[in-house]
Amino acid sequence: MSGQPAGSAGQDPGASPIGPGSPEHSPAPVGFIGLGNMGAPIARRLLSWPGGLVVCDVRPEAAEPFVSEGATAAATPAEVARTARLVSVTVLDDAQVRDVVQGPDGILRTAAPGTVIAVHSTISDSTAVELAEACATHGVHLVDAPVSGGAPGAEKGELAVMVGGPREVYEACKPVFALWAAMPVHAGEVGAGTRMKLARNLLHFISFTAAAEASRLAEAAGIDIAKLGRVVRHTDAITGGAGAVMLRETTAPIAPDDFWHGVFTHVRGLGEKDLSLALSLGERLEVDLPLGTIALRDLGAGFGVGPGEIARRAATAGADVDGGSDDHSNDSNGDDGGAR
């Protein structure tokens, strides 16, 4: 199958079977490369795969607990791929992924046609596409399959895995992924899994920065920020946090007669009111709240309903954040909303 296009799997009746097969019908072994904080708990759940598990890590001692429970240890990625038909890779970065796949002792040295390489590391989407093209010349399928949920999710078997690759390759991997992922998602073509992960992590780390901003405001106001953190964790567990508003399939503006228009107009009104009050408090306490200023400006547009009255008043007044008092901002473009 040398030279087979990455997306043609399953279209040729003579093509090699994809992946390790069904768990009910004499499946082939699966492999796991990289037994660190994330990889080890994922691999541990693969000990129950009826076809067997082959593990590999640059630290031989990392494989020992798996061998004691029935897995086979391999010294190199190439040795893993001699028998495993689905090889998961959880290593540090793009360079390590390239070495594991294409290096002198890499998976492609021995992988049989139909083998699937699943890269769970967060790498560049272009790296995933390039490697998938290289693998296709060997009849091997590569999917980018980054995970979300962190080490706690890995320990509990509750990770989300976002898979970029042909649908039939995703389906072939799904029975294995289901052993350790509570939410497998087919993101699209190769590279789409990584792009989804990067968007998810953009939200994650911006929210961390927003948490720091909120903590500064609370601390300046004499609030116990540890108690605030408890409130945030409690209420986000109820409301779903930022994910609770990610309900639409597009970011396009919403027509006034659309159901969602009323929903997001209501949320925008609540949000703009609370943001303006928080920014006003920050101004009085001389706490800079740049993310809060951006949120007031962009909340309505982000929802697809445009800015509300409070945001429009703030913009007209030169980002007067409390919607009616004199403008105290020294920034001519109003980007910091006078929140200093």
Side-chain angles (χ1 to χ4, degrees), residues 123-220:
I123 58 173
S124 166
D125 60 324
S126 60
T127 297
V129 172
E130 291 170 13
L131 288 176
E133 292 172 350
C135 288
T137 65
H138 296 262
V140 172
H141 310 274
L142 183 140
V143 297
D144 56 317
V147 300
S148 184
E155 291 287 349
K156 297 176 182 177
E158 295 178 355
L159 291 170
V161 57
M162 299 154 277
V163 184
R167 182 81 197 193
E168 60 269 25
V169 180
Y170 165 74
E171 293 293 344
C173 297
K174 200 172 177 181
V176 177
F177 291 169
L179 294 176
W180 52 264
M183 180 178 285
V185 174
H186 183 226
E189 74 280 1
V190 174
T194 298
R195 293 190 285 271
M196 183 180 284
K197 172 64 183 289
L198 294 177
R200 194 270 171 270
N201 277 13
L202 178 71
L203 171 61
H204 189 65
F205 290 109
I206 287 177
S207 70
F208 280 9
T209 310
E213 183 166 298
S215 296
R216 290 198 301 272
L217 177 64
E219 187 172 48

Side-chain angles (χ1 to χ4, degrees), residues 290-309:
L291 291 179
T293 302
I294 293 170
L296 176 60
R297 185 191 72 196
D298 294 346
L299 181 66
F303 283 157
V305 295
E309 181 181 353

Side-chain angles (χ1 to χ4, degrees), residues 64-331:
E64 292 173 2
F66 295 90
V67 173
S68 67
E69 295 189 51
T72 300
T76 66
E79 189 177 336
V80 174
R82 288 187 192 281
T83 55
R85 292 296 302 270
L86 168 60
V87 183
S88 285
V89 178
T90 305
V91 293
L92 183 61
D93 54 23
D94 293 53
Q96 288 190 3
V97 170
R98 289 183 183 277
D99 187 58
V100 165
V101 175
Q102 295 180 300
D105 293 313
I107 294 169
L108 289 182
R109 299 294 174 181
T110 59
T115 298
V116 179
I117 304 170
V119 179
H120 303 307
S121 309
T122 301
I123 58 173
S124 166
D125 60 324
S126 60
T127 297
V129 172
E130 291 170 13
L131 288 176
E133 292 172 350
C135 288
T137 65
H138 296 262
V140 172
H141 310 274
L142 183 140
V143 297
D144 56 317
V147 300
S148 184
E155 291 287 349
K156 297 176 182 177
E158 295 178 355
L159 291 170
V161 57
M162 299 154 277
V163 184
R167 182 81 197 193
E168 60 269 25
V169 180
Y170 165 74
E171 293 293 344
C173 297
K174 200 172 177 181
V176 177
F177 291 169
L179 294 176
W180 52 264
M183 180 178 285
V185 174
H186 183 226
E189 74 280 1
V190 174
T194 298
R195 293 190 285 271
M196 183 180 284
K197 172 64 183 289
L198 294 177
R200 194 270 171 270
N201 277 13
L202 178 71
L203 171 61
H204 189 65
F205 290 109
I206 287 177
S207 70
F208 280 9
T209 310
E213 183 166 298
S215 296
R216 290 198 301 272
L217 177 64
E219 187 172 48
I223 302 301
D224 184 327
I225 59 176
K227 289 182 179 179
L228 172 62
R230 287 166 51 198
V231 170
V232 171
R233 290 189 293 275
H234 176 80
T235 53
D236 276 3
I238 297 170
T239 66
V245 299
M246 301 176 75
L247 302 168
R248 301 169 58 222
E249 295 181 354
T250 176
T251 59
I254 304 174
D257 60 350
D258 190 295
F259 165 79
W260 290 113
H261 193 276
V263 174
F264 285 119
T265 299
H266 174 70
V267 178
R268 178 196 66 190
L270 295 175
E272 288 187 358
K273 174 181 69 69
D274 290 354
L275 285 165
S276 67
L277 292 170
L279 289 168
S280 181
L281 175 61
E283 184 176 7
R284 296 200 311 271
L285 297 173
E286 298 184 337
V287 178
D288 191 25
L289 304 173
L291 291 179
T293 302
I294 293 170
L296 176 60
R297 185 191 72 196
D298 294 346
L299 181 66
F303 283 157
V305 295
E309 181 181 353
I310 294 174
R312 289 196 300 269
R313 284 205 310 262
T316 300
D320 177 6
V321 295
D322 65 4
S325 65
D326 292 336
D327 180 17
H328 300 292
S329 175
N330 292 320
D331 188 338

Side-chain angles (χ1 to χ4, degrees), residues 17 19-30 49-52 83 85:
S22 166
E24 294 84 16
H25 300 98
S26 301
V30 297
W49 179 251
T83 55
R85 292 296 302 270

Side-chain angles (χ1 to χ4, degrees), residues 47-75:
L47 288 164
S48 64
W49 179 251
L53 173 65
V54 186
V55 295
C56 178
D57 194 278
V58 293
R59 304 159 299 142
E61 66 273 14
E64 292 173 2
F66 295 90
V67 173
S68 67
E69 295 189 51
T72 300

